[in-house]
Amino acid sequence: MISEALEHAVSQENKSILAVEVFSPHNIEKFLQQEYDSCMQSWLDYNSRRKAGDKRELYMTSEEARDSITRLAPLRLVDGAWLAHVNKISTSTALRKATRFAWQILSKELGDGELKKNHVNVYRNLVSAASGELLEPHSLSFIGPHHQMDDSNVWKAAVAQQLISLLPERFMPELLGFNLHFEAISFETLVTSRELGELGYPPLYYLLHISIDNPHSGYTAMALEAVIEYLASVERNSGTKELNIAWNRVRAGCVLSEYLMASIAQRQNAPDTTPFGEAMVRIISGKARAGRKMHCRSRIKIGGNQIDHWLQEGHLLDQESRKEFLRALSNPSGLVHKGCSAESRLVKEVSWGGKMFGSFTGAEVSVVKQWIDAQHPDCTTAYWTFTGLCMDEANYHPQLERRCWANAFYTQAPLIKKNSAGP
C-alpha cells in the first residue's frame, strides 16, 4: 500500500511532503504551517461563498449526509488504531521520548478513560442519530448489505490503520509519518462540521477533531514533536545516513495517510475513468449474452466468482454492474497483467492460439490491449527505492550491511529472521 501511495504521489504536480527532501525541524514546521494556512484560506473562501448565498458543498440533502456518515463508519470506528501498540513495555528506551507523544494522542482518542469522550463512541452516537441504529462493529450484522457500507476505499483505509500498528518498533517512522498527516486539521473536517449541524446531525465528532487537532497544543503539535524527537534520536545514535533513510520513511507514512484519505472521497461506484474503460464496458455488455453458459467448466474466478456467474442472465445489465466486473477483472484474477497486455492471459486467450480466438474482433482485441496497457501496474518496489532500504531483508546482517537496517535502532534483528536450526 505504501508503494502504491508513493507511486501516486510522485505522479502529482503537488508533491506535498515529498518536496521536503532534507529534514530539519525548521523545514517540517514550515511545511506544516503552509499546509495549515492553505487549509484555513480554503475555509475562509468557503464561508465567504456560503455568506454570499451559495449552497452546501458536501451534502446537498439530509439523506446524502446520512449515507456518508454510515459509509465512513468502518474507518471512523477504528479511530486511533494506528497508535494501538505504541509505548509498550517492549518499546526501546531510545524510542520512548518520541512514543510518549504518540501515546498521549492515543489516550485522547480513547477519551482519557471517559467513555463519553472516546472518539469511537462519539462516532457511534453520530451513526445512531443518523440511521436510528446503534452499530456494533463486532457483530455479523455490521457488514449487512442494508447498511450499504460497501466502499472498498473506506475499508482499505480502515485496514491500513490497523496494519501499520502491528509492528510499531519496526515501522516506527512510517507510523509517526502517518500520524503526522492524519492528525492535521483538514478542510473536509471543517466543512463537514458545519454542514452536518445545518442538517440536524450532531457534529461533535468533527468539532473534536478541529479543536483537539490544533497545531499549538493539540494532536498536530504532539505529532510533530514525536517526529522531531524520533529523528533527533536517529541522528544521535546512527548518523546522517540513517537520518536520511528515517526521514524518507516518515514521509512515506505521511504520503500513505494522505493517499488513503483522498481515496475515500471516491465512492466504489464512481465512473470508470481508466482510459478505454467505457469502450471495455460496451464490449463486455455485448459479449455477455453470447458467452452465457459457455464458461461453465472454467475454474477461473474474477472477484471471487466464476466467469459464468458474471455472464448469467440478470448480471451485467446496468452500467454499474459492468464497471464492477471490470474492476474485479483488473484486480488479481490471473487474466490481466496491469500495464502489460503482452503478458496478460486475457489477451493471449482472445488471440491466435487462444481458446477464445475469434470471439473478439480485431478492433475489440485492440481495445482490450489498450485498456490493460493504460492501467497502472501494481507496485512492490517503490517503497524500497524511495526509502533507501534493502528489499532483501532475509540476507541482512547488521555488521556487514548497515544500509539494510529495518530501523536505525535495530542493530541485531532483520525484518525476516532466518531459521538458525536449518531445514
Side-chain angles (χ1 to χ4, degrees):
M1 267 191 277
I2 299 179
S3 287
E4 180 183 330
L6 286 168
E7 288 285 351
H8 178 268
V10 298
S11 69
Q12 305 300 303
E13 290 185 6
N14 178 17
K15 302 299 187 204
S16 64
I17 200 168
L18 296 187
V20 188
E21 297 182 359
V22 178
F23 169 77
S24 73
H26 170 75
N27 287 348
I28 190 171
E29 288 170 4
K30 180 180 178 182
F31 168 77
L32 291 178
Q33 186 62 51
Q34 290 172 341
E35 292 290 294
Y36 180 77
D37 291 344
S38 176
C39 176
M40 290 300 104
Q41 185 60 52
S42 296
W43 174 236
L44 179 64
D45 294 343
Y46 166 83
N47 282 285
S48 297
R49 292 193 298 272
R50 295 297 308 278
K51 188 176 181 179
D54 285 7
K55 297 179 179 179
R56 287 183 294 272
E57 297 181 5
L58 283 184
Y59 310 118
M60 295 297 104
T61 65
S62 177
E63 289 73 21
E64 284 186 11
R66 180 198 62 207
D67 292 345
S68 177
I69 290 169
T70 306
R71 181 175 70 94
L72 294 174
L75 175 64
R76 301 307 185 195
L77 294 180
V78 294
D79 197 5
W82 65 94
L83 298 172
H85 302 287
V86 300
N87 214 47
K88 291 195 169 184
I89 192 171
S90 58
T91 302
S92 168
T93 303
L95 293 176
R96 286 190 177 273
K97 284 188 177 180
T99 58
R100 69 184 177 91
F101 289 108
W103 189 89
Q104 279 184 279
I105 295 174
L106 174 62
S107 180
K108 298 292 183 183
E109 295 280 358
L110 298 177
D112 283 334
E114 296 186 57
L115 183 60
K116 67 179 180 181
K117 297 180 181 178
N118 181 290
H119 291 190
V120 169
N121 187 61
V122 171
Y123 198 84
R124 287 178 72 237
N125 292 336
L126 174 58
V127 175
S128 178
S131 66
E133 183 176 357
L134 189 62
L135 296 182
E136 296 292 347
H138 300 294
S139 69
L140 185 61
S141 63
F142 182 76
I143 58 174
H146 61 288
H147 291 312
Q148 296 184 330
M149 293 187 294
D150 55 358
D151 189 325
S152 61
N153 288 324
V154 173
W155 285 97
K156 181 178 181 179
V159 170
Q161 287 192 10
Q162 297 173 78
L163 285 177
I164 201 170
S165 76
L166 295 180
L167 295 170
E169 295 187 34
R170 302 283 186 162
F171 295 100
M172 183 60 66
E174 289 83 2
L175 189 154
L176 294 179
F178 187 97
N179 186 58
L180 183 66
H181 175 268
F182 201 91
E183 295 299 358
I185 296 175
S186 71
F187 173 67
E188 289 73 18
T189 298
L190 291 165
V191 175
T192 300
S193 69
R194 172 172 174 171
E195 296 192 359
L196 286 185
E198 292 176 345
L199 292 167
Y201 295 112
L204 178 58
Y205 177 85
Y206 291 95
L207 291 175
L208 281 174
H209 286 82
I210 294 172
S211 58
I212 295 179
D213 285 354
N214 78 83
H216 178 255
S217 60
Y219 290 179
T220 301
M222 288 187 279
L224 173 60
E225 286 300 318
V227 169
I228 292 175
E229 283 285 353
Y230 172 78
L231 292 172
S233 296
V234 171
E235 187 172 26
R236 284 195 304 269
N237 288 275
S238 306
T240 303
K241 181 179 179 181
E242 296 301 333
L243 169 65
N244 292 335
I245 291 177
W247 172 234
N248 286 342
R249 295 177 65 186
V250 169
R251 292 194 294 160
C254 189
V255 165
L256 174 63
S257 173
E258 183 178 22
Y259 176 69
L260 292 171
M261 295 310 295
S263 71
I264 64 174
Q266 303 173 6
R267 292 180 179 273
Q268 188 178 21
N269 61 355
D272 189 337
T273 57
T274 305
F276 310 104
E278 293 297 330
M280 277 292 291
V281 166
R282 290 193 294 271
I283 292 174
I284 295 301
S285 175
K287 302 298 178 185
R289 180 176 298 180
R292 194 167 296 147
K293 298 182 180 180
M294 189 71 70
H295 301 81
C296 59
R297 295 182 59 199
S298 175
R299 296 182 180 180
I300 294 176
K301 290 188 175 182
I302 299 174
N305 296 306
Q306 293 183 321
I307 296 177
D308 205 48
H309 166 85
W310 290 99
L311 301 181
Q312 288 177 12
E313 188 172 359
H315 290 187
L316 303 181
L317 292 180
D318 58 82
Q319 190 83 338
E320 294 307 322
S321 62
R322 295 166 192 156
K323 290 177 180 178
E324 180 185 357
F325 173 75
L326 285 187
R327 283 191 291 269
L329 181 62
S330 65
N331 287 324
S333 63
L335 292 174
V336 171
H337 189 296
K338 291 184 179 181
C340 185
S341 59
E343 297 295 327
S344 296
R345 182 176 175 182
L346 176 60
V347 173
K348 294 177 181 178
E349 293 291 356
V350 298
S351 301
W352 175 251
K355 296 179 180 179
M356 296 172 60
F357 173 72
S359 59
F360 284 57
T361 67
E364 289 170 340
V365 171
S366 178
V367 169
V368 172
K369 290 180 178 179
Q370 291 171 316
W371 174 70
I372 294 174
D373 289 334
Q375 294 190 61
H376 203 286
D378 293 325
C379 307
T380 57
T381 62
Y383 168 77
W384 306 99
T385 303
F386 178 78
T387 60
L389 288 173
C390 177
M391 190 172 185
D392 187 7
E393 292 291 346
N395 293 329
Y396 154 76
H397 190 283
Q399 280 72 40
L400 301 178
E401 193 63 84
R402 293 174 64 88
R403 70 184 176 85
C404 292
W405 286 8
N407 186 292
F409 293 108
Y410 276 74
T411 59
Q412 296 182 350
L415 277 178
I416 304 173
K417 295 183 179 180
K418 289 186 176 180
N419 186 346
S420 58

